[in-house]
Amino acid sequence: MVWMKGVYDLMIKPREEKYHAILDAATEAFAEYGYYTCQVSKIAKLAGVADGTIYLYFKNKEDILVSLFSDRMGNFIREIQQSIAQCTTTKERLFCIIRTHFKYMQENRSLAIVTQIELRQSDPKIREAISGPLREYFHLIEQVLSEGVQKEEITLMDIKVGRQMFFGTLDAAISDWVSSRKPRPLEGIEELIYELMRGAFNIK
Amino acid sequence: MVWMKGVYDLMIKPREEKYHAILDAATEAFAEYGYYTCQVSKIAKLAGVADGTIYLYFKNKEDILVSLFSDRMGNFIREIQQSIAQCTTTKERLFCIIRTHFKYMQENRSLAIVTQIELRQSDPKIREAISGPLREYFHLIEQVLSEGVQKEEITLMDIKVGRQMFFGTLDAAISDWVSSRKPRPLEGIEELIYELMRGAFNIK
Amino acid sequence: MVWMKGVYDLMIKPREEKYHAILDAATEAFAEYGYYTCQVSKIAKLAGVADGTIYLYFKNKEDILVSLFSDRMGNFIREIQQSIAQCTTTKERLFCIIRTHFKYMQENRSLAIVTQIELRQSDPKIREAISGPLREYFHLIEQVLSEGVQKEEITLMDIKVGRQMFFGTLDAAISDWVSSRKPRPLEGIEELIYELMRGAFNIK
Amino acid sequence: MVWMKGVYDLMIKPREEKYHAILDAATEAFAEYGYYTCQVSKIAKLAGVADGTIYLYFKNKEDILVSLFSDRMGNFIREIQQSIAQCTTTKERLFCIIRTHFKYMQENRSLAIVTQIELRQSDPKIREAISGPLREYFHLIEQVLSEGVQKEEITLMDIKVGRQMFFGTLDAAISDWVSSRKPRPLEGIEELIYELMRGAFNIK
DNA sequence: GATGAATGAGCATTCATTCAT
DNA sequence: CATGAATGAATGCTCATTCAT
């Protein structure tokens, strides 16, 4: 692979290439079969690697799920943070989150499904591992709300409850979208949801 | 069983007694370990019956989960319907659902956990079986919202999105409550949530 | 059951009635499903008794099979002995056995099947238990052959081999008959088989 | 495995090696315990592999039995066909089948037992699967008899009945041999049986 | 690093047998 | 005697993980 040299930094390193192939495959497979119903060998086949190869990149099956979350949710949160950065008002920020949330999930339907499904695993070990990235997202929402209250751009008595409403609504919408075969595009409801939020938070 | 005679109608029939013992045990066990991580033998031990006995009352493990849902969600919905029946305004009805939802879940913490966890199983067979009772609840909420719009007691552009917000918010609150070790009692946030709903739906 | 008194000896005693009902049911059930594939509860249902009742009449499942053999093969051998008794020549006796063997099996198809199937169980305990009645039948055939040789009505160098041929042929014929759906009646082949025996044993 | 190079064609390929080890083990185990009484783990232990390994080579327990038959009976029939090929007269052919049948069974006592035992399983699925190779053997015998009649080397009114006698006799002899602890060698009775056949079929 | 054959612990389910009624 | 609900030992099969090549 001498020819690679010059462009090496533009490429995904082969090492990472396989890592991501496995993660992509796992996302698909978990989404279709669920974590417990999906065999590691299915992921391997989908990723085009041998069963054993998986264990060169991940400690065990659980680690795949956990890594998947860190990786994907990390991207998700980063994307949201970036899009928020350009907003000036709380109103804009909230609308921006709604839109980015929907856009991201729509572009990553499998991830949306996995999130829906596995977000609430009860196996305590898994829960704990997964809760990290999610908490980060919660924190981000709460920050926006907090700041909004401070700047008196919204009215809200309890930040946490506000976040529960905000996230819960988006989550329920995704849940419906994910479980229906012929879902209406999520874009259609962004406005509707925002309108409700406007009333709830008394957005200026 | 001569002694039974007079009090027979006060007793649970023995047959049903065991059925419910198993369902109770399963609720506890699924809540603690999750459906897949929980062995049938664990349920049996918790219910105080032999492993084989389970299969006199349920077709298989999956059937336990499904029955659990029909049974519990059935009760839940019935309780909500009863408490709504006495309300005269949409405002009262919505507040009533919030309170009953929280009360029921608080009294049945294990059920709350199981609901949170297994609501989103991806195993298609299980999902399908479980979706029935949940849909019924969704329908009930949508009816209340619909009627409120008709009577002009609330303002709402899209019933389904309204229901997503309403249910999603309650669900997210329960999710937080369930996953925290030392949760603040749910009663404390009923008012807070209602206040948000009032703004969102412009409740008169 | 006072009314029974006078006719009691003409009746099957109630005790025996149920015993035979179970044996009949077992014959049917074993024939259809095979010994191992057939549950005791299936026999009970077919016999119209409770599962537990079976164990008032039989020690265990194996005992049913063994009893079935003793009982049925006992009848079978007795019937053959009776029909042979009236014969005067070896020729007649051999033909008589062929005819009675076929007649009995045709009238008790289930028994024929069970015999075919379970005759050769390898579970040593079962084999041993079953071999008794069968040996008795072998002995009977060998006696007829022996006597025939002695009286010079047939020619045969080895009695045991002679019996193997005789029984083996009948058994193979029954086996074909049992396993074909639309078998030609066994009567049709009695003559054909006898003709072969005549040649083999050089029957006078 | 450089050392393998030169002798590779003399070796059994490793893949097949394990396949046959399992089949051999199953033959022994089924012979000793019977199909239903023999646990898969017993076969695995006897074959020197893990339980799970069995399922890399066979679909399930039943598949082992069926494969065993195809494989062994296939060999058996091939061997008989080869030995027949060199015979010129029906007389020789029939004697040859007797001798080869006995020789093969004597060299494969376990197979003989399994054949005796499982030939007549009533579980319809198993029967069907097993009947194939047996039918082939029947067909072979019938062909020899048919040809003999055509060439007027034997006299026989009904081919099928002739085959029943021929096979039934051999089978009964094997059955006796298999079930006796100290059997006289089968070679001793080849002549005796042939002599009976000679009479029965009027072999020229 | 990559492979995939081999492993064996783990589990849902069955069913002969018991025993309180 | 009769019942049938309850028992729990027994077993076929799966699948995450390992390791020799």
Side-chain angles (χ1 to χ4, degrees):
Chain A
M1 296 228 207
V2 177
W3 56 270
M4 267 190 175
K5 267 188 179 165
V7 288
Y8 195 76
D9 51 340
L10 291 176
M11 303 182 57
I12 301 161
K13 280 175 281 176
R15 167 89 207 177
E16 303 221 328
E17 201 170 12
K18 217 159 247 179
Y19 176 86
H20 282 106
I22 293 169
L23 237 38
D24 286 344
T27 310
E28 298 294 329
F30 287 161
E32 181 162 11
Y33 305 104
Y35 177 72
Y36 285 102
T37 316
C38 168
Q39 300 95 310
V40 171
S41 65
K42 221 168 241 165
I43 300 174
K45 183 176 285 183
L46 209 60
V49 302
D51 291 18
T53 305
I54 300 238
Y55 291 87
L56 298 174
Y57 295 88
F58 299 92
K59 198 152 50 68
N60 51 32
K61 191 183 177 185
E62 187 187 317
D63 187 34
I64 304 175
L65 183 61
V66 171
S67 303
L68 190 159
F69 261 85
S70 310
D71 188 275
R72 303 305 207 246
M73 281 296 274
N75 283 346
F76 174 56
I77 291 171
R78 227 168 298 129
E79 192 157 320
I80 289 202
Q81 279 170 328
Q82 283 169 9
S83 61
I84 283 181
Q86 297 149 9
C87 302
T88 52
T89 64
T90 299
K91 173 183 169 167
E92 281 170 12
R93 280 190 204 93
L94 292 175
F95 191 75
C96 189
I97 296 181
I98 296 174
R99 199 168 39 201
T100 314
H101 190 128
F102 282 174
K103 186 165 82 66
Y104 195 88
M105 292 301 173
Q106 197 146 349
E107 284 169 358
N108 300 275
R109 193 166 207 264
S110 290
L111 175 63
I113 296 174
V114 175
T115 308
Q116 282 297 315
I117 291 164
E118 310 298 352
L119 211 57
R120 333 220 164 176
Q121 277 308 335
S122 68
D123 188 340
K125 270 193 307 177
I126 297 189
R127 275 199 97 128
E128 196 51 41
I130 280 175
S131 64
L134 191 62
R135 249 197 271 277
E136 204 180 333
Y137 186 32
F138 286 177
H139 190 62
L140 190 155
I141 296 173
E142 288 172 16
Q143 267 183 321
V144 170
L145 293 176
S146 257
E147 200 182 322
V149 170
Q150 237 166 19
K151 295 187 179 167
E152 299 190 337
E153 293 177 352
I154 66 172
T155 311
L156 179 57
M157 300 177 64
D158 188 294
I159 297 296
K160 193 179 170 198
V161 170
R163 182 265 295 163
Q164 285 169 354
M165 157 163 275
F166 190 82
F167 175 79
T169 304
L170 298 189
D171 194 49
I174 295 291
S175 186
D176 273 16
W177 176 73
V178 144
S179 58
S180 96
R181 272 147 240 259
K182 255 182 61 191
R184 50 173 164 174
L186 287 166
E187 287 92 2
I189 58 173
E190 287 169 5
E191 308 283 348
L192 296 167
I193 285 183
Y194 174 73
E195 205 49 40
L196 289 174
M197 298 294 176
R198 205 179 49 73
F201 298 147
N202 188 27
I203 303 177
K204 305 285 155 24
Chain B
M1 290 232 209
V2 176
W3 57 270
M4 265 192 177
K5 267 190 180 164
V7 288
Y8 193 76
D9 52 340
L10 291 177
M11 304 182 55
I12 301 162
K13 277 174 287 175
R15 170 92 204 172
E16 302 220 330
E17 200 169 14
K18 213 156 253 178
Y19 176 86
H20 283 108
I22 293 169
L23 235 40
D24 287 343
T27 310
E28 297 294 331
F30 286 160
E32 181 162 11
Y33 304 103
Y35 177 72
Y36 285 103
T37 317
C38 167
Q39 302 93 313
V40 171
S41 65
K42 221 167 243 167
I43 300 174
K45 185 175 284 181
L46 209 60
V49 301
D51 290 19
T53 306
I54 302 252
Y55 293 87
L56 297 176
Y57 295 88
F58 300 92
K59 200 152 50 63
N60 50 35
K61 190 182 177 187
E62 188 188 317
D63 188 35
I64 304 175
L65 182 61
V66 172
S67 302
L68 191 158
F69 261 86
S70 310
D71 190 275
R72 302 306 208 248
M73 280 295 275
N75 283 345
F76 174 56
I77 291 171
R78 227 168 299 127
E79 193 158 318
I80 290 202
Q81 279 171 330
Q82 282 170 11
S83 60
I84 283 183
Q86 296 149 10
C87 303
T88 52
T89 64
T90 298
K91 173 182 168 165
E92 282 170 13
R93 280 192 203 95
L94 291 175
F95 192 74
C96 189
I97 295 181
I98 296 174
R99 199 171 37 203
T100 314
H101 189 126
F102 282 173
K103 187 166 80 70
Y104 195 89
M105 292 301 174
Q106 196 146 351
E107 285 168 357
N108 300 274
R109 192 165 207 266
S110 291
L111 177 63
I113 296 173
V114 176
T115 308
Q116 282 297 316
I117 291 162
E118 309 299 351
L119 212 57
R120 334 215 164 181
Q121 276 308 333
S122 67
D123 188 340
K125 268 196 307 177
I126 297 188
R127 275 200 97 128
E128 194 51 41
I130 280 176
S131 65
L134 191 63
R135 252 197 270 278
E136 205 180 332
Y137 187 32
F138 286 178
H139 190 62
L140 191 154
I141 296 173
E142 289 173 14
Q143 267 183 321
V144 170
L145 293 176
S146 258
E147 201 182 321
V149 170
Q150 236 167 18
K151 293 189 179 165
E152 300 188 336
E153 294 176 353
I154 65 173
T155 310
L156 179 56
M157 299 177 66
D158 187 294
I159 298 296
K160 195 180 167 195
V161 170
R163 181 265 294 164
Q164 285 168 355
M165 156 163 277
F166 190 82
F167 175 80
T169 304
L170 298 189
D171 195 48
I174 296 290
S175 186
D176 272 16
W177 176 73
V178 144
S179 58
S180 95
R181 273 147 241 262
K182 253 183 60 192
R184 53 172 162 172
L186 287 166
E187 286 91 1
I189 58 172
E190 287 169 6
E191 308 283 348
L192 296 168
I193 286 184
Y194 174 73
E195 206 49 43
L196 289 174
M197 297 294 175
R198 204 178 51 72
F201 298 147
N202 188 28
I203 302 177
K204 306 280 150 36
Chain C
M1 296 227 209
V2 177
W3 57 270
M4 266 189 178
K5 268 188 179 167
V7 288
Y8 195 75
D9 52 341
L10 290 176
M11 304 182 57
I12 302 163
K13 280 175 283 177
R15 166 91 207 178
E16 303 222 328
E17 200 170 11
K18 215 159 250 182
Y19 176 85
H20 282 106
I22 294 169
L23 236 39
D24 286 344
T27 311
E28 298 294 330
F30 287 161
E32 181 162 10
Y33 304 103
Y35 176 72
Y36 284 103
T37 318
C38 169
Q39 302 94 311
V40 172
S41 65
K42 221 167 241 166
I43 300 174
K45 184 176 284 183
L46 210 60
V49 301
D51 291 17
T53 305
I54 301 238
Y55 292 85
L56 299 174
Y57 294 89
F58 299 92
K59 197 151 52 65
N60 51 32
K61 190 183 178 185
E62 187 188 317
D63 188 34
I64 304 175
L65 183 62
V66 171
S67 303
L68 190 160
F69 260 86
S70 310
D71 188 276
R72 303 305 209 246
M73 281 297 275
N75 283 346
F76 174 56
I77 291 172
R78 226 168 298 127
E79 192 158 319
I80 290 202
Q81 280 172 327
Q82 281 170 10
S83 63
I84 282 182
Q86 296 147 11
C87 303
T88 52
T89 64
T90 299
K91 173 183 168 166
E92 282 171 11
R93 279 190 204 94
L94 291 176
F95 192 74
C96 190
I97 296 180
I98 297 173
R99 201 169 37 202
T100 314
H101 190 127
F102 283 173
K103 188 166 80 69
Y104 194 89
M105 291 302 173
Q106 197 147 347
E107 284 169 359
N108 300 274
R109 193 164 207 264
S110 290
L111 176 63
I113 295 174
V114 176
T115 308
Q116 281 297 315
I117 291 163
E118 310 299 352
L119 210 58
R120 334 217 163 180
Q121 277 308 335
S122 67
D123 188 340
K125 270 194 307 178
I126 297 188
R127 276 199 96 128
E128 196 51 41
I130 280 175
S131 64
L134 191 63
R135 250 198 269 279
E136 205 180 332
Y137 186 32
F138 286 176
H139 190 62
L140 190 156
I141 296 173
E142 289 173 14
Q143 267 184 322
V144 170
L145 292 176
S146 256
E147 201 182 322
V149 170
Q150 237 167 19
K151 292 187 180 168
E152 299 190 338
E153 293 177 351
I154 65 172
T155 309
L156 180 56
M157 299 178 66
D158 187 295
I159 297 295
K160 194 180 170 196
V161 171
R163 182 264 295 163
Q164 284 169 353
M165 158 163 275
F166 190 82
F167 175 80
T169 304
L170 298 189
D171 194 49
I174 296 290
S175 186
D176 272 17
W177 177 73
V178 144
S179 57
S180 96
R181 275 147 239 259
K182 254 181 60 190
R184 51 172 163 174
L186 287 166
E187 287 91 3
I189 58 172
E190 288 169 5
E191 307 284 348
L192 296 167
I193 287 184
Y194 173 72
E195 204 51 39
L196 289 174
M197 298 295 176
R198 204 179 51 74
F201 298 147
N202 189 27
I203 302 177
K204 303 285 152 33
Chain D
M1 292 231 212
V2 177
W3 57 270
M4 265 190 177
K5 267 189 181 166
V7 289
Y8 194 76
D9 51 342
L10 291 177
M11 302 184 56
I12 301 161
K13 278 174 286 175
R15 170 92 203 174
E16 303 219 330
E17 201 170 13
K18 214 157 252 179
Y19 176 87
H20 282 109
I22 294 169
L23 235 38
D24 287 343
T27 310
E28 298 294 330
F30 287 160
E32 181 163 10
Y33 305 103
Y35 177 72
Y36 285 103
T37 317
C38 168
Q39 301 93 313
V40 172
S41 64
K42 221 166 242 166
I43 299 174
K45 185 175 284 182
L46 209 61
V49 300
D51 290 20
T53 305
I54 302 253
Y55 293 87
L56 296 175
Y57 295 88
F58 300 92
K59 200 154 48 65
N60 49 35
K61 190 181 177 187
E62 188 188 317
D63 188 34
I64 304 176
L65 183 61
V66 171
S67 303
L68 190 159
F69 265 92
S70 310
D71 189 274
R72 304 305 208 246
M73 281 295 275
N75 283 346
F76 174 55
I77 291 172
R78 227 168 298 127
E79 193 157 319
I80 290 203
Q81 279 171 328
Q82 282 169 9
S83 63
I84 282 181
Q86 295 149 9
C87 304
T88 52
T89 64
T90 300
K91 173 182 168 167
E92 283 171 12
R93 280 190 204 95
L94 292 176
F95 192 75
C96 190
I97 295 180
I98 297 173
R99 200 170 37 203
T100 314
H101 190 127
F102 283 173
K103 188 166 80 68
Y104 195 89
M105 292 301 173
Q106 197 146 350
E107 286 168 357
N108 300 274
R109 193 165 206 263
S110 290
L111 176 63
I113 296 173
V114 176
T115 309
Q116 282 297 317
I117 291 162
E118 309 299 351
L119 214 56
R120 334 220 163 177
Q121 276 307 334
S122 67
D123 188 339
K125 267 195 307 178
I126 297 190
R127 276 200 96 128
E128 194 51 41
I130 280 175
S131 65
L134 191 63
R135 250 198 272 279
E136 205 180 334
Y137 187 32
F138 285 178
H139 190 63
L140 190 154
I141 297 174
E142 288 173 16
Q143 268 184 321
V144 170
L145 293 176
S146 257
E147 200 182 321
V149 170
Q150 237 168 19
K151 293 188 178 166
E152 299 189 336
E153 294 178 354
I154 66 172
T155 310
L156 178 56
M157 299 177 65
D158 187 295
I159 298 295
K160 194 182 169 194
V161 170
R163 181 265 294 164
Q164 285 168 355
M165 156 164 276
F166 190 83
F167 175 80
T169 303
L170 298 189
D171 194 50
I174 296 290
S175 186
D176 272 16
W177 177 73
V178 145
S179 57
S180 95
R181 274 148 240 258
K182 254 182 60 192
R184 52 173 163 172
L186 287 165
E187 286 90 3
I189 58 172
E190 288 168 5
E191 307 283 348
L192 297 168
I193 285 182
Y194 174 73
E195 206 50 41
L196 290 174
M197 298 293 175
R198 205 180 49 74
F201 298 147
N202 188 28
I203 302 177
K204 303 284 152 34

